[in-house]
Amino acid sequence: MKSLRVGAPGSPGTPPLSGQLRELFGPGQPLDLTLNQLLERTADRGPYGLMILLCLPFMAPVALPGISNVFGVVIVMLSWRIFRGEPPRLPRRIGDRSVQGRVLGRVISASIRILAFVERLTSPRGPAWLQSDGARRFNALVLAFGGLLLAAPIPPIIPISNLVPAAGILLVSASMMERDGLMIWMGYAVTVGGAVYIGLMSVLQFHLFVGLWRRFADPVAEFFRGVFS
């Protein structure tokens, strides 16, 4: 199977992704863009550019509501194509879905500094093992797992439940894009830590709900019996 090739952002003359995104969502650009258009405009970065872009809204102080499920599914789809060594492509049903360029641009502009900071930390280090087919497939599974965490219907009462998996996806994608075999370990740590955090918070909140139910179920039932009897 033919291995998937990504752009080489470290090569001379290639602007950083943060600069490309500033131009993409700058003044005079279309107000609405489809996911396929975003994928096309970040094509020189392979699928990792779009994955990073989709994670940036969750880095902002106020994230766009209702996008984590869609963006998570897109990341899983792109990860599957990376795993299979296929070119990045989205089916029309999802790829032609429009996103609000103006609103998304504002959110991305608020979080673009985080990407610029990550770009300053990444550089081609240990690229030999990172470019092997085994590493590519393994990292695709890591990205897919992060996408599933984003897409999962996690209650919003769990703090930063979207930020943590998005940060892991961003770090792993940036490391693959920049061929950084050192920074990617931080991406692994954030992804595993995020999964543990979400799991623990879910268990704690389940036990809290059960405890509250046991405490108040009988008094509430007696109240309604008295009202309707």
Side-chain angles (χ1 to χ4, degrees):
M1 183 176 290
K2 194 173 182 179
S3 297
L4 178 68
R5 298 184 61 186
V6 300
S11 59
T14 304
L17 179 61
S18 56
Q20 286 185 318
L21 295 183
R22 285 192 181 98
E23 293 180 2
L24 180 61
F25 293 97
Q29 296 299 320
L31 297 182
D32 292 316
L33 296 167
T34 66
L35 290 170
N36 273 330
Q37 287 173 331
L38 291 174
L39 182 59
E40 180 181 350
R41 297 190 184 197
T42 57
D44 59 331
R45 306 289 172 160
Y48 305 112
L50 180 58
M51 287 187 184
I52 291 172
L53 189 155
L54 297 180
C55 288
L56 286 180
F58 307 107
M59 304 291 111
V62 179
L64 293 174
I67 64 171
S68 62
N69 307 95
V70 176
F71 285 7
V73 169
V74 172
I75 290 171
V76 171
M77 287 182 172
L78 292 175
S79 301
W80 177 244
R81 297 192 71 87
I82 294 173
F83 181 84
R84 292 174 58 86
E86 298 174 347
R89 189 178 302 139
L90 293 172
R92 280 189 174 183
R93 185 174 181 180
I94 291 183
D96 290 345
R97 192 162 186 166
S98 177
V99 295
Q100 294 181 338
R102 177 181 293 175
V103 179
L104 184 63
R106 290 176 182 173
V107 175
I108 288 179
S109 297
S111 56
I112 201 75
R113 294 181 181 177
I114 297 175
L115 174 58
F117 176 73
V118 172
E119 287 175 334
R120 288 195 295 269
L121 295 179
T122 54
S123 61
R125 291 175 288 190
W129 73 270
L130 198 60
Q131 295 184 69
S132 67
D133 286 343
R136 171 175 55 78
R137 292 191 179 95
F138 174 77
N139 290 321
L141 294 177
V142 174
L143 292 169
F145 178 71
L148 288 174
L149 289 178
L150 271 183
I154 299 173
I157 54 177
I158 298 181
I160 63 173
S161 59
N162 288 332
L163 186 150
V164 178
I169 296 170
L170 189 151
L171 290 171
V172 173
S173 297
S175 299
M176 291 295 290
M177 190 174 67
E178 300 286 353
R179 300 179 175 88
D180 193 333
L182 183 61
M183 176 64 71
I184 201 166
W185 291 100
M186 184 177 295
Y188 295 156
V190 172
T191 301
V192 173
V196 172
Y197 165 76
I198 292 174
L200 287 176
M201 290 296 293
S202 299
V203 171
L204 288 175
Q205 292 191 11
F206 173 77
H207 284 289
L208 177 62
F209 174 79
V210 171
L212 291 174
W213 175 262
R214 289 175 177 173
R215 182 174 181 178
F216 294 107
D218 290 340
V220 170
E222 289 295 330
F223 171 79
F224 281 106
R225 287 195 192 101
V227 171
F228 295 104
S229 61

